[in-house]
Structures are given as structure tokens and as C-alpha cells.
Amino acid sequence: MLIINVKENESIDKALKRFKKKFEKTGVLRSLRSRTAFQKPSIKRRQEILKAVYREKMYGNNSEA
């Protein structure tokens, strides 16, 4: 359970924004969405590899240029 302490003279919008950020960091929603349908382990691995290749291409060593 997430607890957000609302400071004195703090607007509700700021407190809500802090709550949303904290909630997103926990990954609850992401895990719920992944559990909606079963995914085979081989497909999970394939997607992880494709994501890693993409990340490496985008943010990796750019010395090839």
C-alpha cells in the first residue's frame, strides 16, 4: 500500500502527481497487463532479445558511424 504524506499548504494536484509517480515505479499496472493473457516463455525471451537489440542500437556504442 502506498502512503503519500500531504504537506501543509501543498496542493492536491502535486500530491496526486507524487502518488502517480510512486505508483508507476512499483510496476503494479505493468504486471497486471502482462498477466491478462498467457505468453509462452519462448516468446518472452524473444521479445526481451529484440528489446535489448533495439536499446543497443539506439543507446549503445556509436563508434561505427
Side-chain angles (χ1 to χ4, degrees), residues 20-37:
K20 286 180 182 179
K21 194 177 288 187
K22 213 177 221 189
F23 182 75
E24 190 176 316
K25 279 187 179 181
T26 59
V28 174
L29 202 57
R30 194 179 316 124
S31 66
L32 284 175
R33 285 185 180 150
S34 69
R35 291 180 190 181
T36 55

Side-chain angles (χ1 to χ4, degrees), residues 6-27:
V6 181
K7 299 170 187 169
E8 212 172 303
N9 298 329
E10 183 182 23
S11 68
I12 299 296
D13 293 330
K14 282 191 178 186
L16 188 61
K17 190 174 183 178
R18 284 194 299 130
F19 173 77
K20 286 180 182 179
K21 194 177 288 187
K22 213 177 221 189
F23 182 75
E24 190 176 316
K25 279 187 179 181
T26 59

Side-chain angles (χ1 to χ4, degrees), residues 21-61:
K21 194 177 288 187
K22 213 177 221 189
F23 182 75
E24 190 176 316
K25 279 187 179 181
T26 59
V28 174
L29 202 57
R30 194 179 316 124
S31 66
L32 284 175
R33 285 185 180 150
S34 69
R35 291 180 190 181
T36 55
F38 178 75
Q39 194 174 30
K40 290 171 41 176
S42 60
I43 293 175
K44 280 184 185 178
R45 261 182 269 125
R46 187 183 312 143
Q47 284 183 343
E48 286 178 13
I49 291 170
L50 288 174
K51 283 181 184 178
V53 168
Y54 174 77
R55 279 194 305 260
E56 183 66 29
K57 192 168 95 175
M58 292 298 289
Y59 308 114
N61 198 359

